[in-house]
Amino acid sequence: MSSRLLSGIVCVGLVAVLAFLALAWRPAIAPIETPAPQSFAPELVAKGKMLASAGNCQSCHTVEGGQPFAGGVGIPTPFGTIYSTNITPDRTVGIGAWSLAAFERAMREGVGRDGKHLFPAFPYDHFARLTDDDVTALYAYLMTVAPVNAVQPANTVPFPLDIRALQAGWKMLFFRPGPSLPDPQRSAGWNRGAYLSEGLAHCGACHTPRNVLGAESRGLPYDGAVIKDGWIAWPLDVSPSPARWTKDSFIAYLKGETTENHGRALGPMGPVIHGLKALPGEDIAAIADYFMSFNRPLRPKADALAQQALERSRTIGQDRRERGRQLYVGACASCHDDGGTAPLATRARLPLTTALWHDRPNNFVLTVRNGVGAPDDAPGPPMPPFAASLSDSEIVAIADYLRHTRLGLPKWPAELYDEIASP
Ligand code: HEC
Ligand code: HEC
Ligand code: HEC
């Protein structure tokens, strides 16, 4: 009796596995002769180049100092490191034998030419929103870049999570296919901004927290998330800093300028800004329209808080946090405010920076350690990296001092620094 029950269960299990495999199966798409670069209209290629820049294809598919688009960049995930692939038109290891249909399927469904499911470390869940025209332009551009024969390192995703067919299950749970549909209630600018942000520029891939299975949490869009090396992609639904975003300051930030109230884009936001520079000004304004339609200050009475923070920075005298004050005056005050005179015109105002107002110290510590160098294109004297000259506990002392004297907030709890402790 029990052995019959057992074989019954085994049969049902087998049928379920076979049904899943049938659902997960995707056919290979036949290889093609690599199209000649001249076969694509120059305007189409130019458009594709602009889109590739705004979509950050190059920065995610090029290792530092490596050949463009040859892949090999490790994307850390809680399930292991996934390496970006070679998307140059090399026939054997790149996408040289891919037809437009194969490329389109990868972008829209996350399936490779050979039929294998791709991991969502490749943000196809965003690229699925692209128009046919934009996908065609991206294809044309990639087919004209120099082919490179380079193979990326093997992923470190452990068995059984490395079984790509399982991604079909992930897609059933979390992936919403299809292009984005315009909202007729909204302006053309807003719709353009939504299209760019949700699709090509995949802002949510960093700014939206992920669930335990690595999918963006639908209920918490743009609520902020720790991404790589401890950097936090700040919340964009609410602003931790009481300084209000205006459309103009948002545009300036996205153009890579230092904004008076929100500093400038540092860490992993730097390459994003660099990529967005290819877009025309109207597109940047459209992205700002989109975020301005829902972004609001996190704290009540934000304007008064911002005012107080600036006021405090002008009037601090002696402070109990003497160690923090001395370190700050010695290392920082020459460029930032010294608690008495006005800040340098080109410098971000520390009393308003999200790096101090957020409830975690990550980006403050990482900015002080790394400095703000040439790749960040900051005007004026660059901020030196303090990793060698300030110890972790000295950086904490400066943070405590600034939080207390400028923001009127308690210090960050000690355990919050663990995640970003010096190696
Ligand atoms: C956040 C990083 C990231 C960005 C941005 C990104 N990719 Fe990728 N891409 C990856 C990773 C990682 C893979 C490999 C996924 C896998 O192995 O399952 C990949 C795979 C691909 C593939 C499949 C190639 C193959 O051999 O299977 C194509 C095509 C592709 N990307 C095109 C693009 C284009 C076009 C853009 C820009 C619009 C882009 N990617 C932007 C990370 C990225
Ligand atoms: C690769 C990950 C990544 C992507 C993609 C990304 N961001 Fe960011 N973003 C970050 C990080 C990290 C920060 C924090 C930077 C800092 O501390 O200076 C940030 C900061 C910001 C800020 C500043 C918020 C504040 O309170 O100071 C804005 C605004 C912003 N991003 C907008 C965007 C928009 C719009 C997009 C899409 C066009 C986008 N980001 C795409 C990682 C990303
Ligand atoms: C030589 C000048 C210089 C010194 C010294 C300096 N900084 Fe900076 N700091 C900058 C520049 C430049 C930026 C980029 C933003 C800008 O252009 O204002 C910056 C940005 C920052 C930011 C990010 C602000 C934001 O919202 O983008 C923080 C936080 C910061 N500095 C803290 C410090 C601390 C703490 C010290 C001392 C340990 C320090 N800085 C010393 C020049 C300096």
Side-chain angles (χ1 to χ4, degrees):
M1 191 62 198
S2 73
S3 79
R4 251 206 251 163
L5 186 66
L6 195 69
S7 52
I9 292 174
V10 169
C11 276
V12 170
L14 264 178
V15 169
V17 168
L18 287 177
F20 177 77
L21 286 178
L23 272 174
W25 185 79
R26 293 287 181 283
I29 293 179
I32 57 162
E33 280 305 314
T34 312
Q38 315 83 273
S39 64
F40 298 100
E43 311 79 66
L44 188 65
V45 173
K47 179 178 170 192
K49 184 175 182 183
M50 175 185 86
L51 298 173
S53 172
N56 258 296
C57 320
Q58 180 155 349
S59 71
C60 239
H61 280 274
T62 311
V63 290
E64 232 179 282
Q67 301 277 2
F69 302 106
V73 178
I75 320 278
T77 76
F79 317 102
T81 301
I82 296 170
Y83 290 89
S84 63
T85 45
N86 182 333
I87 53 168
T88 72
D90 181 276
R91 282 197 69 74
T92 47
V93 293
I95 60 168
W98 289 41
S99 59
L100 173 59
F103 180 76
E104 184 148 14
R105 186 174 69 171
M107 298 293 280
R108 294 203 181 288
E109 297 173 37
V111 176
R113 188 188 66 73
D114 54 3
K116 71 170 191 232
H117 287 279
L118 299 169
F119 292 112
F122 164 44
Y124 68 83
D125 48 341
H126 291 272
F127 298 151
R129 309 281 169 261
L130 294 178
T131 60
D132 289 346
D133 284 355
D134 283 357
V135 173
T136 307
L138 281 165
Y139 177 74
Y141 170 59
L142 288 175
M143 284 297 170
T144 61
V145 306
V148 181
N149 191 282
V151 181
Q152 74 276 10
N155 296 336
T156 64
V157 181
F159 179 83
L161 297 177
D162 62 338
I163 301 174
R164 287 183 177 264
L166 292 179
Q167 288 302 319
W170 190 93
K171 287 176 187 177
M172 279 175 217
L173 290 173
F174 305 118
F175 175 51
R176 282 176 300 175
S180 61
L181 299 173
D183 178 347
Q185 309 291 331
R186 302 282 196 164
S187 69
W190 186 94
N191 275 300
R192 176 73 183 155
Y195 171 75
L196 289 167
S197 311
E198 300 293 327
L200 187 64
H202 59 274
C203 314
C206 291
H207 285 277
T208 298
R210 292 177 187 264
N211 65 21
V212 285
L213 292 176
E216 288 169 33
S217 304
R218 247 173 239 174
L220 297 169
Y222 301 112
D223 205 37
V226 181
I227 48 167
K228 58 178 174 189
D229 306 329
W231 284 94
I232 297 176
W234 300 133
L236 300 177
D237 52 348
V238 293
S239 290
S241 162
R244 261 176 223 282
W245 284 102
T246 61
K247 185 174 167 184
D248 284 344
S249 62
F250 206 90
I251 291 174
Y253 184 91
L254 291 184
K255 284 185 170 164
E257 293 162 17
T258 297
T259 62
E260 212 183 34
N261 295 350
H262 292 274
R264 69 191 289 113
L266 303 175
M269 189 60 198
V272 177
I273 298 287
H274 196 75
L276 290 177
K277 285 195 173 142
L279 291 178
E282 309 92 79
D283 279 349
I284 301 295
I287 296 176
D289 271 334
Y290 177 58
F291 283 97
M292 284 304 95
S293 70
F294 55 81
N295 174 279
R296 60 191 162 79
L298 171 68
R299 294 175 170 78
K301 305 207 179 81
D303 298 332
L305 277 179
Q307 220 33 59
Q308 280 165 20
L310 289 176
E311 204 46 53
R312 279 201 197 95
S313 74
R314 279 189 281 272
T315 53
I316 347 146
Q318 289 296 347
D319 185 79
R320 285 183 291 120
R321 286 154 202 76
E322 198 44 37
R323 178 161 174 249
R325 192 187 71 86
Q326 276 171 9
L327 288 164
Y328 178 82
V329 168
C332 323
S334 61
C335 291
H336 295 287
D337 79 83
D338 63 0
T341 56
L344 298 181
T346 54
R347 288 292 79 87
R349 303 206 258 181
L350 294 187
L352 298 179
T353 184
T354 304
L356 282 168
W357 280 94
H358 195 262
D359 54 17
R360 297 172 75 171
N362 300 34
N363 294 16
F364 178 81
V365 172
L366 293 168
T367 301
V368 173
R369 265 195 217 139
N370 301 349
V372 178
D376 301 301
D377 298 331
M383 171 163 155
F386 288 96
S389 51
L390 291 174
S391 67
D392 282 4
S393 88
E394 287 172 327
I395 296 177
V396 173
I398 295 174
D400 293 350
Y401 162 73
L402 286 172
R403 294 256 300 176
H404 178 77
T405 54
R406 270 59 166 185
L407 281 50
L409 290 180
K411 59 184 178 183
W412 282 304
E415 64 274 14
L416 290 186
Y417 289 91
D418 293 349
E419 184 178 45
I420 38 167
S422 288

